[in-house]
């Protein structure tokens, strides 16, 4: 089977900042190189999330990650883990009850 090529959703621009973002300065904190679960991993995630919290493009970053789940399948994006992003997408897609 040929490899699948992934494309970003075109109407949501990739987050761009005029200053270097923390994830570019310290990619080792944002992209796991192994299974997560140790205290060291949890500390790393906490540090990455903390750095995201002051990022000037956090809103655009979250939008991009949520609409491009295959391209943002791993790592910390906008202070969220993959599991948290999956939960957010489910919440967003949940039908809203309009009857009273
Ligand atoms: S909010 Fe997004 S762009 Fe900013 S540091 Fe976090 S992962 Fe990087």
């Amino acid at each position: 089977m040929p490899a699948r090529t992934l494309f970003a959703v075109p109407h949501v621009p990739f987050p761009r900042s005029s200053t270097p973002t923390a994830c570019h300065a310290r990619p080792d904190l944002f992209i796991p190189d192994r299974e997560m679960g140790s205290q060291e991993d949890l500390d790393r995630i906490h540090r990455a999330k903390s750095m995201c919290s002051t990022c000037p493009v956090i809103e655009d970053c979250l939008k991009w990650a949520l609409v491009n789940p295959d391209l943002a399948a791993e790592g910390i994006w906008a202070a969220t883990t993959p599991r948290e992003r999956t939960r957010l997408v489910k919440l967003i897609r949940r039908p809203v009850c309009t009857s009273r």
Side-chain angles (χ1 to χ4, degrees):
M1 181 189 320
R4 195 169 72 138
T5 304
L6 299 175
F7 295 99
V9 171
H11 60 275
V12 177
F14 189 81
R16 303 232 181 264
S17 172
S18 57
T19 56
T21 57
C23 57
H24 284 111
R26 290 291 313 270
D28 56 308
L29 294 176
F30 290 79
I31 302 169
D33 58 359
R34 62 182 188 281
E35 283 293 313
M36 296 188 293
S38 70
Q39 187 59 48
E40 182 185 336
D41 294 325
L42 296 176
D43 291 345
R44 178 186 55 75
I45 290 168
H46 181 74
R47 286 185 65 195
K49 286 183 163 191
S50 176
M51 293 168 129
C52 286
S53 69
T54 59
C55 179
V57 295
I58 188 171
E59 290 178 19
D60 290 344
C61 182
L62 181 59
K63 285 180 206 167
W64 193 90
L66 292 181
V67 300
N68 293 290
D70 291 337
L71 293 170
E74 294 185 339
I76 303 299
W77 288 75
T80 62
T81 62
R83 184 176 294 181
E84 290 167 338
R85 289 191 296 277
T86 298
R87 243 185 268 139
L88 279 173
V89 168
K90 284 181 181 169
L91 277 173
I92 291 167
R93 290 184 177 160
R94 194 168 60 185
V96 176
C97 179
T98 55
S99 63
R100 293 185 178 213

